[in-house]
């Protein structure tokens, strides 16, 4: 059985080993904790060689400098790898969608540079699902996905709330998110859900039936969430726990007139969906309940409510207004902060020692991590019946299910737990025992690793979906590349008028080349025409194709061609295709080429060489002319591209992405649209049958002008550079 190298992808949020900032904002909730603990416990499994947790690098003066460390080693088998994109300032997750292709490029480059090709990927949330789909396609690595929350349902809730479509799209990018979730269902090996009920939430998606689903309950660290009566044996740890419990007690009791009463505890982000206001309504309206217990709500972490995001500010303001409305001063605590990493377990145990109850009235809870954490601490629960808790409570017998909008039902359940000593003990004991049995990370990780191994064994290590979607052979790109030959096609690799001199010999060389030599085609042709010439001339399959005059990059594996979307994103900046075409339409010596010659980043014309006037083009394009690459070739064709687009820039992009030094690249060409390949430290071969644009070129240190034509000239150049010895 192979040892697993697993890449977990969790792009947004704040992840570090020294203490998670859960509750800091809407992007830092249970998902962040879930992913980090999954990584931690996976790294302890005997079948796992290494776990890499990929996230975003954040260098923001308002946040810990730890988020700016590119590689953070957590333990010998686990590290956090932070990839920068869209700048380095912290951004809400909705603002990251536009940069995901750049993130894919960054991850590929990082994997290649550090030689840490995983054999399994696991994505978390829709944005990471998109990234995993792209990585899986490029690298042929199977992946699993955990949704955590789904765009379809959030969109429906906002529709019901009256938010207009334009506002929804602008703020939450639902179109991109739902498309990514559909793609994830199609391409992932399987989807991990926390409960069987959660599988139902995927049914509105078109690709629901393409997905394979496994319900594996998340775990908790059962060494941390221990029953309230547990006594730490280590003297130092015992002292540390006593200190933490003292500060937790201080944090809560300073709000309360009688801090010795039992506690009704709630702990969640300040989110309207968490329904904390209903709990205050129930408590505030019932004097008997107020006399029995204090109400303690930990609603995230805050410094200044006025400086918080609008939605969180509104929720917290409403909670404080409700506290004031029912005059709950001295009876209700709403602390501003807590240490998520070290104090949450203490808070549960403190509440259990007070013979309290944990309450979660979320309108719909996918799973309910706080429910199993509190139960493991021996604290009984009163929780929403909607979602995951309806599977947890029957299994563990640790509390009562309620309708989160039925105040009478909620009040009755809380009073029953607080006033019936035998019932309290029954729920407390069951929770402490059964959570350890059914909801540990050890159990989760064992089931998960078994699924991975079963999946990989089905198809020689590449998973079920990879059979349906064969892509790049990872070994071709994983190898160490010492040289890359990039050649133009028409007039360079082939020249039918001269009966293709040297083509047979060059094909033989390329077919028998060392694994350390990569081969790429670079052409003004579009992909279909490149594929056609590969087939007609029976050319060796290239590792890369740069086509449409450098506006598209593809990776190849037989008949399969995978577009590099990161390159397209790179080109899109400051490119206004429609405006450029409009400005050029009245130049009489330009004639638009056929539709097949066009693409989003290339406008192609035929031109009259006798009437060609560069200055006229500059004048017509106006002040934006410098953003456009104007490339005439063969005295017949002229292409208008984004300034960034060219064969040369595409080569640089590939070199950067796949860690190939430009000094190890040899580019062969014959015409004006090849000139850009001959810059920087790239070694050039200008074939003997060069066009008029290259007529004045002479041999220099990095340019070799061959005497022979076409492929024969390429072979001559490879000899000159001592590639062929």
């Amino acid at each position: 059985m192979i040892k697993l190298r697993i890449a977990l992808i969790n792009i947004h949020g704040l992840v570090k080993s020294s203490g998670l900032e859960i509750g800091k904002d809407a992007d830092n909730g249970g998902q962040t904790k879930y992913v980090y603990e999954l990584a931690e416990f996976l790294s302890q499994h005997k079948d796992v060689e290494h776990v890499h947790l990929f996230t975003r690098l954040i260098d923001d003066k308002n946040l810990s400098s730890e988020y700016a460390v590119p590689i953070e080693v957590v333990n010998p088998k686990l590290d956090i790898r932070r990839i920068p994109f869209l700048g380095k300032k912290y951004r809400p997750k909705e603002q990251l969608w536009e940069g995901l292709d750049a993130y894919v490029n960054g991850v590929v480059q990082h994997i290649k540079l550090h030689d840490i090709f995983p054999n399994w990927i696991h994505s978390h949330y829709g944005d990471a699902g998109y990234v995993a789909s792209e990585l899986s396609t490029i690298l042929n690595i199977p992946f699993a996905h955990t949704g955590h929350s789904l765009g379809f349902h959030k969109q429906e809730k906002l529709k019901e709330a009256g938010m207009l479509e334009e506002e929804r799209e602008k703020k939450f990018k639902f179109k991109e998110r739902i498309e990514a979730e559909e793609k994830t269902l199609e391409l992932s090996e399987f989807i991990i859900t926390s409960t069987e009920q959660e599988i139902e939430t995927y049914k509105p998606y078109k690709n629901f039936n393409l997905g394979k689903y496994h319900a594996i309950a998340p775990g908790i660290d059962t060494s941390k969430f221990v029953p309230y009566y547990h006594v730490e044996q280590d003297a130092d740890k015992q002292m540390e726990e006593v200190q933490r419990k003292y500060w937790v007690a201080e944090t809560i009791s300073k709000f309360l007139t009688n801090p010795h009463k039992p506690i009704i505890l709630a702990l969640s982000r300040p989110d309207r969906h968490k329904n904390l206001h209903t709990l205050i309504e129930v408590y505030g309206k019932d004097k008997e309940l107020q006399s029995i217990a204090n109400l303690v709500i930990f609603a995230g972490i805050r410094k200044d409510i006025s400086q918080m995001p609008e939605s969180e500010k509104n929720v917290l303001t409403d909670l404080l207004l409700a506290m004031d409305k029912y005059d709950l001063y001295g009876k209700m605590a709403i602390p501003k902060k807590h240490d998520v990493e070290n104090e949450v377990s203490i808070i549960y145990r403190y509440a259990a020692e007070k013979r309290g109850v944990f309450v979660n009235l979320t309108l719909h809870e996918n799973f309910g991590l706080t429910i199993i954490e509190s139960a493991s601490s021996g604290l009984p629960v009163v929780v929403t019946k909607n979602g995951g808790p309806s599977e947890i409570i029957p299994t563990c017998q640790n509390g009562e299910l309620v309708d989160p909008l039925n105040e009478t039902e909620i009040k009755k359940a809380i009073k029953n737990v607080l006033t019936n000593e035998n019932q309290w003990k029954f729920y407390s004991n069951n929770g402490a025992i059964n959570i350890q049995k059914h909801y540990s990370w050890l159990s989760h990780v064992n089931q998960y690793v078994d699924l991975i191994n079963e999946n990989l064994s089905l198809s020689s290590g590449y998973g079920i979906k990879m059979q349906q979607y064969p892509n790049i052979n990872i070994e071709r790109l994983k190898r160490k590349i010492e040289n890359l030959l990039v050649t133009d096609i028409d007039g360079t690799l082939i020249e039918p008028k001269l009966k293709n001199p040297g083509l047979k010999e060059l094909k033989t060389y390329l077919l028998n080349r060392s694994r350390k030599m990569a081969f790429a085609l670079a052409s003004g042709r579009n992909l279909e025409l490149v594929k056609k010439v590969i087939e007609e001339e029976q050319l060796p399959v290239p590792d890369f194709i740069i086509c449409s005059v450098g506006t598209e990059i593809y990776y190849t594996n037989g008949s399969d061609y995978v577009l590099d979307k990161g390159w397209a994103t790179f080109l899109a900046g400051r490119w206004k295709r429609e405006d450029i075409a409009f400005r050029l339409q009245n130049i009489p010596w330009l004639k638009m080429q056929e539709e097949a010659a066009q693409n989003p980043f290339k406008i192609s014309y035929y031109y009259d060489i006798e009437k060609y006037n560069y200055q006229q083009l500059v004048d017509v394009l106006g002040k934006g002319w410098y953003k456009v690459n104007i490339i005439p070739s063969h005295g017949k064709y002229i292409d208008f591209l984004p300034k960034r687009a060219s064969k040369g820039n595409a080569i640089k992009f590939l070199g950067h992405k796949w860690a190939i030094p430009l000094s190890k690249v040899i580019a062969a060409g014959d015409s004006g649209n090849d000139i850009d390949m001959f810059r920087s430290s790239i070694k050039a071969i200008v074939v003997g049958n060069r066009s008029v644009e290259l007529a004045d070129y002479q041999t220099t240190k990095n340019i070799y002008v061959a005497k022979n034509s076409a492929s024969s000239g390429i072979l001559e150049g490879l000899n000159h550079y001592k590639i062929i010895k």
Side-chain angles (χ1 to χ4, degrees):
M1 185 178 292
I2 61 170
K3 284 278 191 178
L4 298 171
R5 182 175 292 272
I6 300 172
L8 302 182
I9 306 175
N10 187 62
I11 300 168
H12 65 270
L14 304 173
V15 184
K16 59 187 175 75
S17 64
S18 62
L20 301 175
E21 299 185 74
I22 306 299
K24 188 175 183 69
D25 61 23
D27 291 350
N28 293 282
Q31 173 188 331
T32 307
K33 185 174 184 182
Y34 177 109
V35 176
Y36 181 78
E37 291 191 348
L38 172 62
E40 204 170 24
F41 281 87
L42 271 175
S43 73
Q44 297 169 19
H45 195 282
K46 62 181 176 56
D47 291 343
V48 174
E49 177 185 351
H50 208 100
V51 178
H52 306 292
L53 175 48
F54 282 91
T55 188
R56 177 172 178 254
L57 188 144
I58 300 165
D59 192 356
D60 192 320
K61 65 181 180 181
N62 298 314
L63 296 168
S64 168
S65 60
E66 292 170 276
Y67 300 120
V69 176
I71 301 175
E72 178 184 348
V73 177
V74 180
N75 67 46
K77 290 171 62 180
L78 170 62
D79 50 52
I80 300 171
R81 293 178 179 254
R82 301 184 176 93
I83 310 298
F85 74 109
L86 289 180
K88 295 181 181 178
K89 297 300 180 187
Y90 180 67
R91 292 184 180 216
K93 60 182 180 291
E94 291 82 10
Q95 294 180 17
L96 299 178
W97 285 95
E98 64 188 274
L100 293 184
D101 287 321
Y103 188 77
V104 171
N105 283 340
V107 173
V108 170
Q109 179 191 338
H110 186 93
I111 287 172
K112 175 77 174 179
L113 182 65
H114 295 277
D115 193 20
I116 52 167
F117 283 80
N119 43 23
W120 189 261
I121 296 171
H122 190 160
S123 53
H124 296 267
Y125 187 75
D127 51 10
Y130 175 85
V131 169
S133 299
E134 292 295 305
L135 291 174
S136 179
T137 300
I138 294 169
L139 301 175
N140 199 22
I141 299 172
F143 76 103
H145 179 71
T146 302
H148 295 281
S149 71
L150 297 178
F152 180 86
H153 297 288
K154 183 164 186 173
Q155 180 176 243
E156 292 303 302
K157 286 172 187 172
L158 293 174
K159 275 186 189 176
E160 292 170 9
M163 184 181 283
L164 297 176
E165 182 178 2
E166 185 178 350
E167 185 182 355
R168 292 198 308 267
E169 281 303 314
K170 183 178 179 181
K171 187 171 183 181
F172 295 106
K173 307 292 189 295
F174 283 120
K175 184 178 179 182
E176 290 100 321
R177 180 173 172 182
I178 292 171
E179 282 180 2
E181 289 165 343
E182 292 280 14
K183 186 174 182 180
T184 303
L185 288 172
E186 179 187 11
L187 294 180
S188 64
E189 303 300 314
F190 52 79
I191 304 291
I192 295 288
T193 66
S194 297
T195 63
E196 293 291 338
Q197 282 192 30
E198 192 184 335
I199 296 172
E200 299 294 310
T201 65
Y202 283 91
K203 280 195 169 176
Y205 287 83
K206 289 181 294 184
N207 288 335
F208 171 75
N209 290 324
L210 295 178
K212 187 175 182 181
Y213 306 88
H214 294 288
I216 312 178
I220 58 169
D221 186 345
T222 51
S223 66
K224 179 187 291 184
F225 293 95
V226 295
Y228 66 95
Y229 45 78
H230 172 81
V231 177
E232 180 61 58
Q233 298 303 310
D234 183 281
D236 291 338
K237 288 184 178 179
Q238 187 179 50
M239 178 57 69
E240 185 178 331
E241 185 170 319
V242 169
Q243 289 175 337
R244 292 190 187 283
K245 191 176 291 185
Y246 172 80
W247 287 116
V248 165
E250 282 286 296
T251 299
I252 295 171
S253 61
K254 67 182 180 182
F255 289 88
L256 306 173
T257 303
N258 184 357
H260 303 293
K261 289 196 293 187
I263 287 174
I264 301 167
L265 175 67
L267 194 153
S268 75
R269 290 185 290 106
D271 185 321
R272 187 72 61 191
H273 182 70
K274 298 297 183 182
N275 199 28
L276 293 169
H277 58 281
T278 295
L279 177 58
I280 299 178
E281 291 282 334
V282 168
Y283 184 76
K285 291 175 182 177
D286 194 305
K287 296 294 182 184
E288 183 185 5
L289 197 53
Q290 292 172 33
S291 68
I292 294 170
N294 293 314
L295 176 61
V296 178
I297 297 178
F298 285 88
I301 299 169
R302 66 187 190 275
K303 289 183 179 179
D304 181 350
I305 292 177
S306 67
Q307 301 301 313
M308 296 182 74
E310 198 67 26
S311 59
E312 297 177 18
K313 177 167 65 176
N314 291 340
V315 169
L316 285 164
T317 301
D318 287 349
L319 297 184
L320 293 173
L321 287 173
M323 178 181 178
D324 186 75
K325 175 183 176 181
Y326 294 109
D327 194 18
L328 298 178
Y329 300 101
K331 303 173 185 176
M332 175 179 165
I334 183 164
K336 295 184 73 166
K337 62 180 181 178
H338 58 287
D339 181 341
V340 176
E341 184 70 16
N342 299 302
E343 290 183 354
V344 170
S345 58
I346 302 289
I347 291 168
Y348 291 133
R349 293 206 291 280
Y350 178 78
E353 286 179 356
K354 299 281 186 188
R355 289 298 193 268
V357 61
F358 178 76
V359 181
N360 178 334
L361 302 179
T362 303
L363 299 179
H364 185 278
E365 184 71 82
N366 276 350
F367 178 66
L369 198 58
T370 55
I371 296 164
I372 59 175
E373 289 175 347
S374 55
S376 186
S377 307
L379 180 62
V381 302
V382 171
V383 293
T384 179
K385 67 180 182 180
N386 299 331
S390 65
E391 293 183 26
I392 296 172
I393 300 302
T395 300
C396 295
Q397 295 291 306
N398 63 308
E400 302 191 11
L401 293 167
V402 294
D403 178 345
L405 295 176
N406 188 322
E407 294 186 10
T408 302
E409 200 174 306
I410 295 165
K411 178 172 62 177
K412 182 180 177 182
I414 292 173
K415 283 185 178 179
N416 182 45
V417 174
L418 291 175
T419 59
N420 185 330
E421 181 69 12
N422 289 333
Q423 190 70 71
W424 191 95
K425 287 181 178 178
F426 177 78
Y427 289 150
S428 175
N429 291 339
N430 283 343
I433 294 169
N434 291 328
I435 296 297
Q436 300 269 338
K437 189 186 301 181
H438 298 287
Y439 294 101
S440 72
W441 271 119
L442 182 61
S443 170
H444 178 103
V445 164
N446 284 338
Q447 291 180 70
Y448 178 60
V449 170
D450 285 346
L451 280 175
I452 297 175
N453 285 325
E454 176 189 335
N455 195 275
L456 292 177
S457 68
L458 290 173
S459 57
S460 303
Y462 284 111
I464 299 167
K465 292 285 178 74
M466 289 299 108
Q467 290 180 330
Q468 299 172 12
Y469 302 92
N471 293 303
I472 301 307
N473 181 344
I474 188 172
E475 293 306 318
R476 295 184 67 188
L477 296 178
K478 185 176 179 180
R479 70 189 194 270
K480 181 175 176 57
I481 297 173
E482 290 187 356
N483 293 102
L484 168 62
L485 171 63
V486 184
T487 175
D488 175 49
I489 296 176
D490 298 294
T492 306
L493 186 67
I494 61 172
E495 181 45 271
K497 293 176 185 176
L498 302 175
K499 298 185 179 179
N500 296 331
L503 181 59
K504 181 179 178 182
E505 292 81 2
L506 181 59
K507 285 196 294 184
T508 300
Y509 166 72
L510 290 172
L511 283 169
N512 296 304
R513 72 189 188 274
S514 161
R515 280 176 48 81
K516 295 178 180 179
M517 178 76 159
F519 168 49
L521 293 175
S523 176
R525 292 177 180 237
N526 62 29
L527 179 64
E528 290 307 311
L529 293 176
V530 173
K531 288 161 63 176
K532 185 178 179 183
V533 79
I534 291 172
E535 184 179 336
E536 288 176 349
E537 301 294 344
Q538 297 183 316
L539 298 175
V541 176
D543 297 288
F544 311 107
I545 291 177
I546 299 167
C547 58
S548 298
V549 200
T551 58
E552 294 177 332
I553 296 174
Y554 290 87
Y555 309 121
T556 63
N557 186 31
S559 60
D560 196 34
Y561 298 83
V562 181
L563 178 68
D564 190 317
K565 293 182 180 178
W567 178 239
T569 300
F570 177 73
L571 296 182
R574 302 191 298 176
W575 171 246
K576 298 179 180 178
R577 191 186 196 284
E578 291 180 6
D579 178 64
I580 294 166
F582 177 78
R583 289 171 178 271
L584 295 172
Q585 65 182 346
N586 293 323
I587 294 183
W589 46 270
L590 290 180
K591 180 185 175 184
M592 185 74 76
Q593 289 183 37
E594 295 75 16
E595 186 63 31
Q598 316 295 334
N599 76 33
F601 301 107
K602 182 169 79 78
I603 314 170
S604 296
Y605 298 86
Y606 300 107
Y607 79 103
D608 186 335
I609 192 170
E610 292 181 2
K611 296 179 181 177
Y612 177 70
N613 185 329
Y614 179 77
Q615 189 57 47
Q616 185 181 3
L617 295 177
V618 170
D619 293 342
V620 167
L621 291 172
K623 63 181 181 181
W625 71 269
Y626 65 92
K627 301 174 187 174
V628 181
N629 242 346
I630 304 170
I631 302 179
S633 58
H634 298 282
K636 180 179 178 181
Y637 310 107
I638 187 166
D639 299 303
F640 296 82
L641 320 171
K643 197 68 178 178
R644 294 171 166 179
S646 68
K647 293 179 183 178
N649 281 344
I651 291 170
K652 291 175 188 175
F653 181 86
L654 282 173
H656 184 60
K657 185 167 185 172
W658 295 102
I660 307 168
L662 293 181
S663 61
K664 299 295 184 180
V665 176
I666 300 158
D670 73 298
S671 73
N673 64 17
D674 301 319
I675 291 173
D676 189 68
M677 296 196 296
F678 304 158
R679 298 185 178 130
S680 188
S681 54
I682 295 171
K683 294 180 173 65
I685 300 172
V686 179
V687 293
N689 56 307
R690 59 192 182 277
S691 67
V692 63
E693 298 97 349
L694 304 181
D696 295 332
Y697 272 59
Q698 295 181 349
T699 297
T700 63
K701 180 183 176 184
N702 274 1
I703 296 176
Y704 179 73
V705 179
K707 295 179 177 62
N708 294 316
S709 298
S711 287
S712 184
I714 296 174
L715 288 166
E716 184 185 330
L718 292 174
N719 269 296
H720 171 79
Y721 290 120
K722 296 183 172 53
I723 300 300
I724 299 177
K725 298 175 183 177

